[in-house]
Amino acid sequence: EPEVTQTPSHQVTQMGQEVILRCVPISNHLYFYWYRQILGQKVEFLVSFYNNEISEKSEIFDDQFSVERPDGSNFTLKIRSTKLEDSAMYFCASRQQWAGELFFGEGSRLTVL
Amino acid sequence: GIQVEQSPPDLILQEGANSTLRCNFSDSVNNLQWFHQNPWGQLINLFYIPSGTKQNGRLSATTVATERYSLLYISSSQTTDSGVYFCAANSNYQLIWGAGTKLIIKP
């Protein structure tokens, strides 16, 4: 069964460093998303991406964040200068239709020291 | 925007028991999903159920869209069912998540 894959599963970084989280969405999906979950809290929407551009983003998704689909298969989330409060689980998701079922990857746990 | 509320927030059961988890949403939706987050933090898709009833083994879900709620039933609970169960709904682009029900199944 097709699945969304994410790498790395866990990354530890120093405050101020750049981090890139990678995702490979399901191949025939058109809508891509990043969500995050701070430990013990709700899952929060970060950004949605369609047709090679951001379609919606939350207040969390400030200038420190960027997304890219560099090669037609990968979908990346970059955090330019990490802060302690960026420590969270980051989930990538994709779906074929904008109102259809959303499929999530297993998450990338980011720890900022 | 849409609000999603889950109840109960916590549930502790003995292995073998049955349970019902509830999800209320404040507006009409075109997508309602249930997820299980395991102790390692991974999200497992359980159901995509904007309306109607679905069953998958010991789990089933029902969404009554006109009354704006969804129920997740777990029968004959096992310790591996422990974790947090989330429902999430959207009426536009993004999924709005409930706060989850933390389920602990004791052996």
Side-chain angles (χ1 to χ4, degrees):
Chain A
E1 185 175 326
E3 59 182 17
V4 177
T5 57
Q6 290 187 238
T7 55
S9 56
H10 188 194
Q11 182 158 354
V12 181
T13 190
Q14 295 292 321
M15 191 169 55
Q17 294 297 303
E18 176 183 282
V19 162
I20 297 177
L21 305 179
R22 292 182 168 80
C23 170
V24 179
I26 294 173
S27 62
N28 63 344
H29 285 189
L30 302 175
Y31 298 84
F32 314 113
Y33 304 81
W34 283 100
Y35 286 78
R36 82 168 186 191
Q37 184 186 31
I38 294 171
L39 186 64
Q41 297 186 20
K42 281 189 184 184
V43 179
E44 301 172 288
F45 169 75
L46 289 178
V47 65
S48 60
F49 193 86
Y50 170 73
N51 201 26
N52 284 320
E53 60 182 22
I54 291 173
S55 47
E56 192 176 8
K57 60 182 181 180
S58 72
E59 292 178 353
I60 303 167
F61 195 87
D62 61 21
D63 291 343
Q64 292 298 312
F65 291 88
S66 62
V67 289
E68 195 178 32
R69 189 159 161 79
D71 56 12
S73 60
N74 291 286
F75 179 50
T76 61
L77 174 69
K78 181 192 288 187
I79 309 173
R80 289 189 183 81
S81 178
T82 50
K83 303 187 283 282
L84 294 176
E85 54 265 38
D86 293 327
S87 294
M89 184 77 106
Y90 289 81
F91 293 102
C92 173
S94 70
R95 56 184 167 187
Q96 193 173 35
Q97 300 169 335
W98 74 271
E101 184 175 4
L102 199 54
F103 293 84
F104 281 78
E106 293 187 337
S108 293
R109 186 176 298 281
L110 176 65
T111 302
V112 183
L113 302 176
Chain B
I2 191 170
Q3 306 292 318
V4 179
E5 294 183 353
Q6 291 186 243
S7 59
D10 300 278
L11 190 55
I12 301 173
L13 298 172
Q14 288 296 133
E15 199 168 24
N18 302 328
S19 59
T20 301
L21 282 57
R22 187 176 180 102
C23 174
N24 293 331
F25 41 94
S26 61
D27 204 346
S28 59
V29 298
N30 50 34
N31 180 9
L32 191 292
Q33 292 185 237
W34 283 95
F35 299 88
H36 175 213
Q37 187 166 42
N38 64 23
W40 296 270
Q42 298 165 339
L43 284 173
I44 312 298
N45 277 37
L46 295 179
F47 294 102
Y48 168 68
I49 187 164
S51 65
T53 297
K54 290 185 178 179
Q55 180 154 8
N56 184 2
R58 296 181 295 104
L59 273 61
S60 65
T62 295
T63 297
V64 183
T66 53
E67 296 186 24
R68 299 181 183 169
Y69 71 88
S70 183
L71 302 174
L72 177 69
Y73 305 96
I74 305 173
S75 64
S76 305
S77 300
Q78 301 175 358
T79 55
T80 51
D81 294 332
S82 296
V84 183
Y85 290 80
F86 290 101
C87 72
N90 73 256
S91 58
N92 290 303
Y93 292 102
Q94 55 170 289
L95 275 183
I96 305 298
W97 294 69
T101 292
K102 184 175 182 180
L103 178 64
I104 297 174
I105 304 297
K106 293 187 170 183

